[in-house]
Amino acid sequence: MYWVTPRHLAGDDGVLAERIGDTLTDLGWRMWPTSRNTLLFVSPDGLRGAEWILAAYPFELGGLPVAWQMSARPHPDSALTEWNAYFTAGVPHEALTDFLLALDASETPEAGLENAEAVLTALSARGWLRDMDRPRTTATDPGFSTNVSLEVLPPLIHDADPRDDLLGWQAWAEPVLGAPYLWCASFSASAPHELVAAFASSLAAPGPVPRRILPAGAEDRLTVVRRG
């Protein structure tokens, strides 16, 4: 067992499905398998959903297959989701857990188009740096390996607003410039900024996290605080 920093480069320890599944079960979300070999979780009020879709391999972000899709809908019987968030394998499960806890606790998980500054404020409070050219939309960690940015949405990111020029929060870790990404996350345009801020703040949390497996490509960027 290793205790390592920074969290945003620590990977998912190969247990992203199990850790997030346990979190959702503890929150009282119902789960059932689907015909696509995915696991679908739905909140007790029917407004929030989470699906482990890695086996279905629906599409990629940054060359990595999407593993979890989170969503919210305005009414339990609504066929269309209001917004979606997508996470590849490798994303630190602590950050995704904190995002889900915030989602579960939110009274109205539908669209939130104001207060984008909340995301950057959360990162600045953790010591992340705003981009000099885009200080109102982009921040990076002090090691310049992980970015959170308000960008034009990549293909296949679904949102209730059908326009194709919308901006949504994107996050990615690139431990070595030009090397494959460690993980990627994408939030559709209507995703509430306060929920993205919860993910970002957790991602940038300074404390060490336990890992049995150090992610390939990021070992040289990690600091092992202690071995247990």
Side-chain angles (χ1 to χ4, degrees):
M1 176 73 74
Y2 306 93
W3 288 83
V4 301
T5 60
R7 175 183 292 189
H8 55 87
L9 294 180
D12 63 9
D13 213 21
V15 294
L16 187 62
E18 293 84 353
R19 291 295 179 87
I20 300 306
D22 289 346
T23 296
L24 293 168
T25 299
D26 291 344
L27 291 171
W29 292 35
R30 294 170 294 141
M31 184 277 287
W32 56 88
T34 74
S35 60
R36 299 183 296 122
N37 296 319
T38 70
L39 297 177
L40 176 63
F41 294 79
V42 177
S43 63
D45 61 8
L47 298 180
R48 305 154 178 85
E51 190 171 7
W52 174 256
I53 56 178
L54 186 61
Y57 209 104
F59 64 95
E60 295 182 344
L61 290 174
L64 300 171
V66 173
W68 279 102
Q69 177 180 349
M70 312 300 174
S71 61
R73 62 189 71 244
H75 307 287
D77 57 352
S78 175
L80 298 177
T81 57
E82 191 79 7
W83 57 264
N84 293 272
Y86 306 84
F87 306 86
T88 70
V91 66
H93 53 77
E94 295 89 352
L96 189 46
T97 293
D98 287 338
F99 172 81
L100 283 170
L101 292 175
L103 172 60
D104 184 76
S106 62
E107 295 183 2
T108 54
E110 65 265 20
L113 300 179
E114 299 180 355
N115 200 24
E117 178 66 20
V119 178
L120 297 175
T121 298
L123 291 169
S124 296
R126 298 289 200 187
W128 283 37
L129 310 173
R130 297 193 186 218
D131 186 276
M132 293 182 62
D133 296 323
R134 298 187 296 170
R136 301 183 66 178
T137 61
T138 304
T140 185
D141 74 288
F144 299 100
S145 62
T146 304
N147 295 272
V148 177
S149 185
L150 195 58
E151 305 273 354
V152 174
L153 293 171
L156 304 179
I157 302 300
H158 297 292
D159 192 85
D161 191 324
R163 291 175 294 174
D164 58 8
D165 59 346
L166 298 174
L167 302 179
W169 287 105
Q170 317 296 311
W172 64 95
E174 188 179 14
V176 179
L177 187 63
Y181 293 124
L182 176 60
W183 58 264
C184 297
S186 183
F187 302 84
S188 74
S190 299
H193 297 295
E194 63 269 21
L195 298 185
V196 183
F199 173 79
S201 180
S202 180
L203 189 68
V209 292
R211 293 292 186 269
R212 297 183 182 276
I213 304 170
L214 300 183
E219 301 98 323
D220 293 341
R221 302 299 301 273
L222 292 172
T223 298
V224 177
V225 177
R226 67 180 185 272
R227 302 174 188 269

